Amino acid sequence: MVQKLYVTYNDVHKLCQEAAPKLLEEVNPQLMIAIGGGGYVPARILRSFLKRPGSANIPIQAIGLSLYEQLSTSTDADVEEPGTKVTRTQWLDLSALGEMGSLVGKRILIVDEVDDTRTTLEYAVKELEKDVELARAKFGGEAAKFSVFVLHNKDKQKKGTLPKEMTDSGRYVAARTVGDEWICYPWEATDIDEHDRNAAAQKTKE
């Protein structure tokens, strides 16, 4: 039986609020890039807590990466297993950014819901760094500084890696580190009332 961790919208809101001071201190992002679909909600919530008085809202861009594949042999329709290949389903909206050169020299925060095998995060960081470096070769300027925020980091052997300079300098932030269990996020629920009941029942057992 797969162990499940039910996370509510309130949980997500509070995790973002809790992580915001560290992100402001260590990252101070000028742009967020949400990995869809799990990064959309935390990125939007974070924006409220990262906004400094008198400053504009931090822009949010989105990329789509697919790694999970439905288990055809599982009796649990909600549970998927990590795939082995990252598929790019959506990339940066250059019409909104102007062009890739606008990312040169920026402090960019990549947001996702969970760091599972780290394969998706590794792909996102490497591909975004590659694109910005190509733009820097064309336009000049300083290198962009990428950081990562996730709601949950699973304490398990990772298949992907992140730059050592990122992890050593506080530019990788996980709101919580949990065991290797299936995390049920509210935006995946088809019945949000049942989801919240499961989350409440889970909390009473803790």
Side-chain angles (χ1 to χ4, degrees):
M1 182 61 127
V2 176
Q3 292 294 315
K4 294 183 179 181
L5 173 64
Y6 286 90
V7 177
T8 67
Y9 281 112
N10 278 359
D11 293 331
V12 174
H13 196 97
K14 290 174 181 177
L15 289 174
C16 291
Q17 184 176 19
E18 179 186 299
K22 179 177 175 62
L23 289 169
L24 279 171
E25 180 181 351
E26 302 289 346
V27 179
N28 193 22
Q30 296 167 293
L31 171 72
M32 282 190 282
I33 296 178
I35 299 179
Y40 297 153
V41 175
R44 175 57 191 89
I45 295 171
L46 267 179
R47 188 171 74 170
S48 295
F49 293 114
L50 295 178
K51 188 179 186 304
R52 296 183 184 274
S55 64
N57 281 318
I58 299 172
I60 300 174
Q61 277 280 315
I63 59 175
L65 300 174
S66 177
L67 178 65
Y68 287 90
E69 298 173 350
Q70 192 75 33
L71 272 173
S72 59
T73 57
S74 174
T75 57
D76 193 334
D78 294 330
V79 177
E80 299 170 333
E81 68 176 4
T84 57
K85 182 181 178 182
V86 178
T87 302
R88 185 189 296 197
T89 58
Q90 177 185 338
W91 207 240
L92 298 178
D93 180 5
L94 297 184
S95 63
L97 290 171
E99 55 189 7
M100 193 63 70
S102 64
L103 298 184
V104 172
K106 291 290 195 299
R107 298 182 301 275
I108 301 169
L109 180 63
I110 300 169
V111 180
D112 207 359
E113 85 275 45
V114 62
D115 180 358
D116 190 335
T117 63
R118 197 163 284 178
T119 308
T120 300
L121 284 173
E122 178 187 53
Y123 180 93
V125 172
K126 284 185 174 178
E127 290 299 301
L128 288 167
E129 284 182 336
K130 186 189 304 179
D131 285 353
V132 175
E133 279 304 300
L134 287 172
R136 194 160 76 99
K138 178 179 179 181
F139 299 105
E142 297 181 2
K145 185 175 285 188
F146 288 94
S147 303
V148 166
F149 170 75
V150 293
L151 295 170
H152 297 95
N153 170 44
K154 291 190 181 182
D155 186 11
K156 61 187 289 186
Q157 185 72 33
K158 305 295 187 184
K159 295 180 181 178
T161 59
L162 293 173
K164 190 172 186 298
E165 193 272 334
M166 174 189 288
T167 55
D168 288 352
S169 62
R171 292 190 288 110
Y172 170 86
V173 177
R176 288 288 184 277
T177 296
V178 297
D180 188 11
E181 51 200 339
W182 185 256
I183 304 175
C184 301
Y185 289 102
W187 47 82
E188 297 168 343
T190 53
D191 186 333
I192 193 62
D193 293 322
E194 180 186 17
H195 178 94
D196 286 349
R197 285 194 296 270
N198 288 335
Q202 182 177 265
K203 284 182 170 63
T204 62
K205 296 177 182 178
E206 293 176 353

